[in-house]
Amino acid sequence: MGIPDEDVARVRAATDIVALIGEQGALKRVGQRWVGLCPFHTEKSPSFSVNAEAGFYYCFGCQASGDAITFVRETEHLDFVDAVRRLADKAGITIREDGNSGRDNQKRKIFLDAMEQATEWYHHRLLTAADAGQARDYLRSRGYDGDVVRRFRLGWAPDGWDTLCVGLKLSEDVAVGAGLGFVNRRGRIQDAFRARVLFPICDPSGNPVALGGRVLPGSTDPAKYKNSTETPIYSKRRTLYALNWAKQDVIKSGEVVVCEGYTDVIGFFEAGVPRAVATCGTALAEEHVRLLKNFATRVVLAFDADGAGQAAAGRFYEWERTLEIDVAVAALPPGSDPADLARSDPAALKAAVEGAKPFLQFRIERILGAADLSTPEGRARAADHALAAVAEHPDDLVRDQYVMQVAERCRLEPASLRDGPRTPAAKPSRTERTPSRTPASSDDRDPRGYDGPPDGPEPEWDEWDDGPVPADNGRRGATAEFRPGLEALRLAIHRPEEVGDRLEPVLFSDPTQRAAFTALMDADDLGEAIDAAPGRVQALLVRLTVEEPRSDPDEVVVQLVRDTVRRELPLLAVEARTSTSAMEQAAAAALGLQELDDPTRRAEAARRLVAWLLVRAQQNGIGQDA
Ligand SMILES: [Zn+2]
């Protein structure tokens, strides 16, 4: 990518985000924000907010969020560089493309042109040439008629040394650079594909960037499939076959089917599921999923995901968490592949996608299905295997539900299974709570009407206390709680001078909020903080830019200090059994808490308690993520 950071910043600064988003739908000014109907989901009352000054948008209904560049990427399905170019054009800004990136762009264009010409040349050859008769017979035998051949622009590479390169008069630079040819040992240029049926691989806009070639049955060539080498226009980790054709249905349905082979994809299209893509001779990688995330939030794997095995499981769970997508597995009949099923029973192929199951469910069913559940010994063994799979899931609530399922199937007591498999297996845990820090008794409640639990991590940040959440989405109501952590972040964003240097990371018990605060502290401005923050933290920060603080900063700081000190008290009580210093600290902390209630002394008390918390944090690693 060739756009310098300063130029990206100039484009951002020159873009009027309200005008940009306003092109898609009316925005109305409400206080500091602009609100309107969300362009990313269907709604009747507006829950989409824009902060013009900070340059960010956030939807309270579907959680879409970002800046002007994100907006263009998501509404026009462009990559980062193209989105910046689009905005630069709009704002009349010339982006400095340094010598290199200018040359690179020119080269890319030449390679794309060559690839387009070659695709058309091979396609024409398949449709008309005499030497393609065998290829046409083969495709017909697979059930591909002329419509399929034209729709997917299939081609035929003749059985010659340099038929394409000579036919298109490709220079060595272009042929080699675009991956269409190579220089052989005698220094002559030679075609990369020979005697193969070709599947053009395109970028999401439909420009061919590579080719996949399959030999005909009976060929002596040991490599059944062969793909273009990586080139400046083709990276296999970032490319998905058929995304250009599937894009529309993927967006419409919010779901994408991922296969392993080009013919599987075509099978899905033929069976009436036109939202299938395939990796190009590589395993599904994070870059693929990031690309798909622009179009859909649910990924259905249509290959033997069990074969992909345990190593893949960890990746899938990680993507579910960090990229906020769902990974499911199509319920294909064992031993069948989509391409064959599409011909023998297209309805079954469609049903397999409709009946897709969460990845962990799929694995457990595989394990239990293969087990002997007729004897106590068999059931115990099956339970152990299934629990080993369950233990890999990072979410304890999810784990718990599958434990109950395994217990029921294996006729065991759930309680006896909760600790996981009896054969040792690593049990990942992302639980940040430690037992000694769990809630204290209810008489710790704050007398001032904050009815949130005074201790323990704050829950997920989608539970919030104010703002234009539609009344019917069920999150609000009598249980709405004051969340000092979120309010402190809003203040740190919107009125930093009023909280000054009174906030510290140690005051945030929720890891996402703490990371958000740290990001704000470490950056020179809000935009920089958002750029540098990881996904979840970034989403939180962007959302808070469109929420205004409504509380008195002093109250918020005092409440945060109070909550944090209270979380420390049970720990101190334990330490005090063996340490007089801890006993003294506990007494001082209790006194400090009392002083927090005294308006004339609370500022000083808060300062002292924070200083003490910082020392403790340093000693105990509190407030730092492992
Ligand atoms: Zn929305």
Side-chain angles (χ1 to χ4, degrees), residues 241-271:
Y241 173 70
L243 182 57
N244 53 311
W245 294 298
K247 194 164 76 174
Q248 246 181 341
D249 199 59
V250 170
I251 293 168
K252 207 171 80 191
S253 63
E255 175 182 275
V256 60
V257 177
V258 178
C259 314
E260 275 181 333
Y262 310 137
T263 53
D264 293 333
V265 169
I266 294 174
F268 271 109
F269 274 75
E270 289 299 288

Side-chain angles (χ1 to χ4, degrees), residues 398-412:
V398 171
R399 280 202 305 271
D400 208 46
Q401 294 174 63
Y402 283 103
V403 166
M404 295 208 281
Q405 219 183 79
V406 173
E408 193 174 316
R409 293 278 298 277
C410 298
R411 292 191 245 155
L412 294 162

Side-chain angles (χ1 to χ4, degrees), residues 203-337:
D203 66 15
S205 314
N207 305 305
V209 294
L211 294 161
R214 190 201 190 286
V215 293
L216 292 178
S219 161
T220 52
D221 194 327
K224 190 168 155 195
Y225 279 98
K226 179 183 168 181
N227 287 326
S228 294
T229 50
E230 300 228 331
T231 65
I233 54 173
Y234 172 57
S235 149
K236 60 185 174 190
R237 288 175 69 84
R238 278 172 237 271
T239 308
L240 286 156
Y241 173 70
L243 182 57
N244 53 311
W245 294 298
K247 194 164 76 174
Q248 246 181 341
D249 199 59
V250 170
I251 293 168
K252 207 171 80 191
S253 63
E255 175 182 275
V256 60
V257 177
V258 178
C259 314
E260 275 181 333
Y262 310 137
T263 53
D264 293 333
V265 169
I266 294 174
F268 271 109
F269 274 75
E270 289 299 288
V273 186
R275 51 179 178 283
V277 301
T279 53
C280 305
T282 171
L284 190 64
E286 180 170 335
E287 286 95 327
H288 292 132
V289 181
R290 285 190 182 280
L291 172 64
L292 289 174
K293 234 225 117 180
N294 292 331
F295 305 97
T297 55
R298 179 174 153 92
V299 174
V300 176
L301 307 177
F303 51 85
D304 187 355
D306 216 27
Q310 237 160 317
R315 286 208 319 267
F316 295 157
Y317 300 142
E318 185 61 19
W319 296 339
E320 291 194 315
R321 208 164 60 80
T322 57
L323 303 178
E324 291 171 357
I325 52 145
D326 291 325
V327 178
V329 182
L332 294 165
S336 68
D337 74 57

Side-chain angles (χ1 to χ4, degrees), residues 38 40-41 59 61-62:
C38 177
F40 301 104
H41 83 283
C59 172
C62 70

Side-chain angles (χ1 to χ4, degrees), residues 255-563:
E255 175 182 275
V256 60
V257 177
V258 178
C259 314
E260 275 181 333
Y262 310 137
T263 53
D264 293 333
V265 169
I266 294 174
F268 271 109
F269 274 75
E270 289 299 288
V273 186
R275 51 179 178 283
V277 301
T279 53
C280 305
T282 171
L284 190 64
E286 180 170 335
E287 286 95 327
H288 292 132
V289 181
R290 285 190 182 280
L291 172 64
L292 289 174
K293 234 225 117 180
N294 292 331
F295 305 97
T297 55
R298 179 174 153 92
V299 174
V300 176
L301 307 177
F303 51 85
D304 187 355
D306 216 27
Q310 237 160 317
R315 286 208 319 267
F316 295 157
Y317 300 142
E318 185 61 19
W319 296 339
E320 291 194 315
R321 208 164 60 80
T322 57
L323 303 178
E324 291 171 357
I325 52 145
D326 291 325
V327 178
V329 182
L332 294 165
S336 68
D337 74 57
D340 293 334
L341 198 58
R343 287 168 58 205
S344 62
D345 190 352
L349 188 59
K350 220 172 162 171
V353 171
E354 278 154 17
K357 300 194 174 85
F359 182 68
L360 183 49
Q361 181 76 56
F362 163 82
R363 290 195 68 199
I364 290 173
E365 281 173 20
R366 273 293 169 94
I367 292 165
L368 296 183
D372 172 14
L373 299 180
S374 66
T375 65
E377 289 80 0
R379 291 196 290 273
R381 215 170 18 245
D384 270 347
H385 287 159
L387 290 174
V390 173
E392 287 159 15
H393 202 286
D395 189 318
D396 34 6
L397 286 179
V398 171
R399 280 202 305 271
D400 208 46
Q401 294 174 63
Y402 283 103
V403 166
M404 295 208 281
Q405 219 183 79
V406 173
E408 193 174 316
R409 293 278 298 277
C410 298
R411 292 191 245 155
L412 294 162
E413 277 297 315
S416 69
L417 300 182
R418 285 250 156 71
D419 293 332
R422 291 160 302 156
T423 41
K427 180 177 167 183
S429 169
R430 60 156 201 205
T431 327
E432 272 97 8
R433 274 170 224 242
T434 51
S436 48
R437 290 213 212 174
T438 38
S441 63
S442 58
D443 50 19
D444 274 348
R445 292 214 164 199
D446 186 75
R448 250 168 265 193
Y450 299 147
D451 56 0
D455 42 20
E458 291 185 12
E460 298 281 89
W461 51 264
D462 57 358
E463 293 179 29
W464 60 311
D465 53 326
D466 49 18
V469 170
D472 59 354
N473 82 350
R475 286 205 200 117
R476 295 193 73 183
T479 58
E481 288 165 356
F482 177 82
R483 296 286 168 208
L486 287 179
E487 190 67 356
L489 285 172
R490 286 185 200 110
L491 286 163
I493 289 171
H494 296 275
R495 284 145 54 188
E497 65 294 343
E498 293 180 33
V499 281
D501 52 7
R502 290 184 288 169
L503 295 175
E504 294 289 343
V506 71
L507 295 176
F508 295 84
S509 62
D510 175 273
T512 308
Q513 293 178 12
R514 184 162 61 242
F517 179 74
T518 309
L520 286 172
M521 255 188 1
D522 292 346
D524 288 336
D525 59 43
L526 181 59
E528 190 184 301
I530 289 172
D531 281 347
R536 239 176 122 68
V537 176
Q538 192 171 58
L540 173 60
L541 284 170
V542 169
R543 192 197 95 187
L544 293 174
T545 60
V546 301
E547 292 176 15
E548 283 153 57
R550 301 185 179 181
S551 312
D552 172 26
D554 295 342
E555 286 285 329
V556 173
V557 171
V558 164
Q559 184 63 19
L560 272 183
V561 173
R562 182 184 282 122
D563 290 353

Side-chain angles (χ1 to χ4, degrees), residues 110-122:
I110 292 170
F111 293 161
L112 282 170
D113 281 351
M115 192 53 83
E116 169 61 34
Q117 279 182 51
T119 300
E120 198 50 41
W121 188 87
Y122 283 135

